[in-house]
Amino acid sequence: MSRLAAALAAAALAAPGALGALAAPAAQAAAPLTPLPVIERQVMCVTCKIPLNVAESTQADRERAYIRGLIAAGDSEAQVKRALVAQYGQTVLGLPASNGFDVTVYVVPLVLLAVLVSLLALLLPRWRRRAPASAGAGTGAAAPAQLSAAERARLEADLARFD
């Protein structure tokens, strides 16, 4: 009886593993393969330094063949990218890594944008306050200045000359 119980326990423990092993190929077969153009847009030709989908070199052709082989083997998009990095190095990826020093590519523009917006928010009210005072003086909308007798005589002479 104890042997029967041990055999049933062993079968119960092995059954989920066996079912998982059977389900894995079925799930892999049901999962759609990543098409080559999707990956081509995300990786670079390592010699041309341009996206693989526009590169026209023998190295680009080798990379495409390598990617086709990985896709045919059933690798996912992430697995293909990891294999490409292992084969050609980090420069094959179109985007820099999102960790370490490479994160500065994302952070520095955002920080600069925040600084410029805050600087504009601080300076714009000052410029707006200063604008009406200088605009009124420059357009002549303010009350006319009083002319001296000599300036008035000169103005009258100039106006009479142009008549």
Side-chain angles (χ1 to χ4, degrees):
M1 193 67 164
S2 65
R3 284 187 179 174
L4 181 62
L8 286 175
L13 289 175
L19 289 176
L22 291 176
Q28 208 173 35
L33 295 176
T34 304
L36 179 65
V38 170
I39 295 175
E40 274 186 320
R41 285 188 300 256
Q42 298 174 16
V43 297
M44 308 289 275
C45 174
V46 292
T47 57
C48 305
K49 307 292 187 221
I50 60 174
L52 190 60
N53 62 341
V54 294
E56 297 289 332
S57 67
T58 55
Q59 177 60 35
D61 292 338
R62 279 188 228 122
E63 286 182 44
R64 284 186 196 97
Y66 182 64
I67 293 170
R68 280 189 199 100
L70 293 172
I71 291 172
D75 287 358
S76 68
E77 183 177 338
Q79 291 170 327
V80 169
K81 286 182 183 179
R82 280 194 297 271
L84 285 169
V85 169
Q87 180 76 23
Y88 299 110
Q90 191 70 25
T91 59
V92 75
L93 295 180
L95 293 174
S98 60
N99 55 14
F101 184 73
D102 290 336
V103 80
T104 58
V105 172
Y106 299 109
V107 172
V108 169
L110 293 176
V111 169
L112 286 175
L113 181 66
V115 166
L116 290 175
V117 167
S118 61
L119 188 64
L120 186 64
L122 287 174
L123 294 178
L124 191 63
R126 290 182 186 174
W127 289 336
R128 292 182 122 196
R129 272 185 256 129
R130 202 178 299 168
S134 63
T139 61
Q146 297 298 325
L147 297 177
S148 68
E151 291 172 338
R152 184 178 300 266
R154 187 173 143 216
L155 178 64
E156 293 295 330
D158 286 342
L159 287 175
R161 200 172 24 151
F162 290 115
D163 280 342

